[in-house]
Amino acid sequence: MTDPTPAVEQPVLRVRNLVKSYGDVPVLRGVDLDVDEHRVVTLIGASGSGKSTLLRCVDLLEQVDDGQVWLDGQDVTDPRVDADAVRRRIGVVFQAYNLFPHLSVLDNITLAPRRVHGVDRAEAEERAVALLDRIGLAGRARAYPDQLSGGQAQRTAIVRALAVQPRLLLLDEVTSALDPELVGEVLALVREVAEGGMTILMATHEMGFARSAADVVCFLEGGVLLEQGPPEQVLVDPQHERTRQFLRRVVAAGRL
Amino acid sequence: MVPPVSEVEVARRSYRRSRQRRSTWVAVASTLVFAAVLVVGTVSAPGWQRTQESFLDPGVARRALPLVLEGLWLNLRVLVVAAVCVLALGLVVALLRTLRGPVWAPVRLLMTLYTDVFRGMPLIVLLYIIGFGVPGLRLQGVPTDKVVLGATAIILIYSAYVAEVFRAGIESVHPSQRAAARALGLTHRQTTRLVVLPQAVRNVTPPLLNDLVALQKDVGLISVLGAIDAVRQAQILSATTANFTPYIVAAVLFVLLAVPTARLADWATARARRRQQAGGLL
């Protein structure tokens, strides 16, 4: 857990009354959420509660039906905003890694710095190798994604998202596709990134991680943010009956 | 050091070897029987004598071969030029069809129309239209060479097919790849060029090679315009010798030409399959 940082005037991310449906199925029904700088905010809740959709809306991968999202005070849901410019300031890591199979680990990581941010190849590769070295994958720089273990692939995906020094990092159930023994190495990297001061919004099923690494835990159900607060409150002494039910199921499944 | 093989495994290997030997013998025997039936059936046909004389005359074949080969050289040149043009034009059409934004609506519509028309039109009809219609216009600067006009017709039709192959390849790339690229801040165009297209091209290499095999023999159709290619040579020779053997010579040469490409296509398909499903017995 990080120390409470002095109050900042404006959160990195502010979400107000976010509404999104897929066809007739409402997925988000008016979500309000703030993510302050250097904070780790986790979204918990059952599958289908809207966690991933919320992240996709924040990164403008989905068009919202109503409500607003501000990134550093800029309303990014305004259709006149350049969505590519917004996405450049946000890093995303997906559940299924989504590495580019035709590119080596090194090229996966340097693609955006080179093509989007105009960093020259030598510098981009030097930085990428330095990042890979920190996570013990420098020797795999020339490997292709299908030659990596799940844990290595997901750590590569995290490094790829970090290589453009984003303002906000979105993590969408980054350990859900991993074998249990590989979860630890990925969460250790997330923890290290968080301790480095990155602002993170992550959807997760890892309650233990949420409890020890998050500053704020948000419980989503049926597209509504039912409860949010520090982890010791939401996870240990939840106020809402639905939250208690969810946590009981998680405990019964041996995940807490 | 490799541990010694267990007795169970030794027995299994010996059993597999015996099955393997048996399969080989069955395959050889069945092939021989099948070939014998085919040969005997053909040779014992009542008209075999006449057919052999008019289709399989070794003397005519020997005289026809150099001239047909000369014609085949023209087919080969047309093939190379056509294949390059078809790949380029097909890719451009496929990309134009995937363009987004209202400005491009007429372009998208035009490309859809193009693929519909040229995939639907019989190649031989288009050959006549272009081969005889275009010179009839007597326009300055428009080529009147039969080979050029014939190649143009072939390129137009094959590009429409190949454009659809490319488009299918583009659509076969999982949407999550596009999402990952856009999430990194790449524009729509960069995403297509750097992430989607390289994977799409890799996915469609086997069907493209298959289209190349088809193109190889269809270049022989420029003969209907009077271009002196392998087929046309065979036609002329069969008229002068009153014997069909030159056609057989041309056919054998086209088949020989297709075999390496077909094997290449098989190899590419197998490689693509291996890449997609590493491991597994089935």
Side-chain angles (χ1 to χ4, degrees):
Chain A
M1 233 178 306
T2 50
D3 293 326
T5 41
V8 280
E9 321 82 61
Q10 152 180 294
V12 173
L13 180 73
R14 164 162 286 173
V15 177
R16 286 293 175 272
N17 186 37
L18 190 61
V19 175
K20 174 71 189 173
S21 306
Y22 291 115
D24 294 335
V25 186
V27 184
L28 298 174
R29 313 177 190 233
V31 172
D32 295 338
L33 177 71
D34 281 350
V35 180
D36 290 327
E37 191 164 20
H38 307 309
R39 295 304 183 91
V40 176
V41 175
T42 57
L43 302 168
I44 63 169
S47 296
S49 58
K51 305 186 295 289
S52 294
T53 306
L54 176 56
L55 295 179
R56 290 179 68 87
C57 286
V58 168
D59 199 39
L60 305 181
L61 293 170
E62 301 286 350
Q63 194 179 319
V64 304
D65 295 339
D66 202 356
Q68 284 171 287
V69 176
W70 289 268
L71 184 67
D72 282 327
Q74 182 195 17
D75 178 4
V76 298
T77 44
D78 185 328
R80 282 162 294 192
V81 165
D82 176 6
D84 291 326
V86 174
R87 293 193 197 99
R88 262 173 240 154
R89 286 144 61 195
I90 302 177
V92 188
V93 182
F94 300 89
Q95 180 178 336
Y97 335 134
N98 295 12
L99 293 173
F100 305 127
H102 62 297
L103 297 179
S104 68
V105 164
L106 194 61
D107 288 340
N108 261 282
I109 295 168
T110 58
L111 182 70
R114 286 173 56 207
R115 302 293 183 155
V116 179
H117 298 263
V119 180
D120 70 66
R121 179 192 274 269
E123 193 186 338
E125 291 191 348
E126 193 181 321
R127 274 198 237 159
V129 170
L131 283 168
L132 283 170
D133 199 32
R134 264 179 47 197
I135 61 168
L137 285 179
R140 307 293 280 154
R142 297 287 165 195
Y144 282 83
D146 59 2
Q147 299 165 324
L148 302 178
S149 73
Q152 291 175 332
Q154 194 58 295
R155 288 186 291 144
T156 301
I158 292 171
V159 166
R160 179 174 75 173
L162 291 174
V164 295
Q165 294 154 327
R167 189 75 180 103
L168 170 68
L169 185 63
L170 305 177
L171 304 175
D172 187 1
E173 298 189 18
V174 292
T175 56
S176 297
L178 295 175
D179 291 337
E181 79 272 20
L182 301 175
V183 169
E185 62 186 68
V186 170
L187 290 182
L189 176 58
V190 174
R191 194 184 298 269
E192 196 188 318
V193 171
E195 281 163 2
M198 180 60 68
T199 309
I200 297 176
L201 176 60
M202 75 185 285
T204 188
H205 289 296
E206 299 295 335
M207 298 305 151
F209 181 78
R211 196 164 163 180
S212 63
D215 299 296
V216 179
V217 174
C218 303
F219 175 65
L220 271 167
E221 183 168 286
V224 178
L225 213 158
L226 276 184
E227 184 162 357
Q228 63 172 308
E232 56 270 27
Q233 183 200 313
V234 176
L235 296 174
V236 181
D237 182 26
Q239 303 302 303
H240 210 288
E241 177 52 28
R242 292 291 187 78
T243 317
R244 280 195 284 269
Q245 282 176 3
F246 173 74
L247 289 174
R248 270 200 297 274
R249 285 202 302 274
V250 171
V251 171
R255 297 295 287 267
L256 185 60
Chain B
M1 210 179 100
V2 185
V5 176
S6 71
E7 256 172 62
V8 180
E9 178 60 23
V10 170
R12 279 200 296 241
R13 286 181 189 179
S14 128
Y15 178 71
R16 281 198 206 108
R17 260 198 308 276
S18 79
R19 298 297 288 183
Q20 190 84 52
R21 268 196 301 275
R22 193 166 160 275
S23 306
T24 309
W25 281 115
V26 170
V28 168
S30 117
T31 307
L32 286 176
V33 169
F34 189 75
V37 168
L38 210 62
V39 168
V40 170
T42 311
V43 172
S44 66
W48 169 246
Q49 197 62 42
R50 288 287 307 279
T51 311
Q52 192 184 16
E53 279 163 16
S54 51
F55 279 89
L56 298 169
D57 186 324
V60 175
R62 217 170 296 125
R63 266 175 290 143
L65 186 63
L67 287 166
V68 176
L69 266 176
E70 209 172 283
L72 195 70
W73 174 233
L74 176 65
N75 288 116
L76 265 175
R77 282 177 295 169
V78 171
L79 173 68
V80 170
V81 173
V84 172
C85 292
V86 163
L87 279 180
L89 188 58
L91 188 59
V92 168
V93 171
L95 285 176
L96 289 178
R97 281 195 78 169
T98 60
L99 280 180
R100 300 194 311 182
V103 185
W104 299 103
V107 177
R108 283 195 301 267
L109 190 72
L110 202 67
M111 291 306 119
T112 310
L113 192 72
Y114 168 78
T115 48
D116 282 356
V117 167
F118 288 101
R119 274 192 308 162
M121 192 179 300
L123 175 51
I124 197 135
V125 176
L126 187 67
L127 275 165
Y128 285 136
I129 294 174
I130 290 185
F132 300 127
V134 171
L137 293 172
R138 295 171 193 239
L139 281 170
Q140 279 279 307
V142 173
T144 53
D145 185 73
K146 298 292 177 205
V147 177
V148 175
L149 293 170
T152 306
I154 289 170
I155 289 166
L156 282 174
I157 287 204
Y158 268 81
S159 298
Y161 274 105
V162 167
E164 288 304 284
V165 173
F166 274 127
R167 199 165 68 100
I170 289 168
E171 279 166 12
S172 74
V173 176
H174 198 274
S176 64
Q177 287 287 310
R178 209 174 258 285
R182 298 307 296 272
L184 285 169
L186 270 71
T187 63
H188 177 74
R189 188 177 294 193
Q190 285 177 316
T191 300
T192 302
R193 187 164 57 89
L194 300 168
V195 174
V196 177
L197 264 190
Q199 298 184 56
V201 169
R202 220 165 68 164
N203 291 349
V204 298
T205 303
L208 280 180
L209 283 168
N210 195 39
D211 280 345
L212 181 62
V213 177
L215 178 64
Q216 256 174 16
K217 62 180 181 189
D218 276 357
V219 292
L221 282 171
I222 59 169
S223 60
V224 302
L225 298 181
I228 313 289
D229 74 330
V231 177
R232 185 72 173 178
Q233 267 306 356
Q235 196 181 9
I236 294 168
L237 288 165
S238 78
T240 52
T241 58
N243 191 297
F244 290 113
T245 307
Y247 279 123
I248 299 293
V249 172
V252 169
L253 289 177
F254 271 106
V255 170
L256 288 179
L257 196 63
V259 168
T261 320
R263 288 293 79 74
L264 187 67
D266 287 351
W267 174 78
T269 311
R271 198 182 59 145
R273 196 171 47 224
R274 268 204 309 280
R275 207 186 262 139
Q276 272 162 22
Q277 40 187 8
L281 284 170
L282 304 172

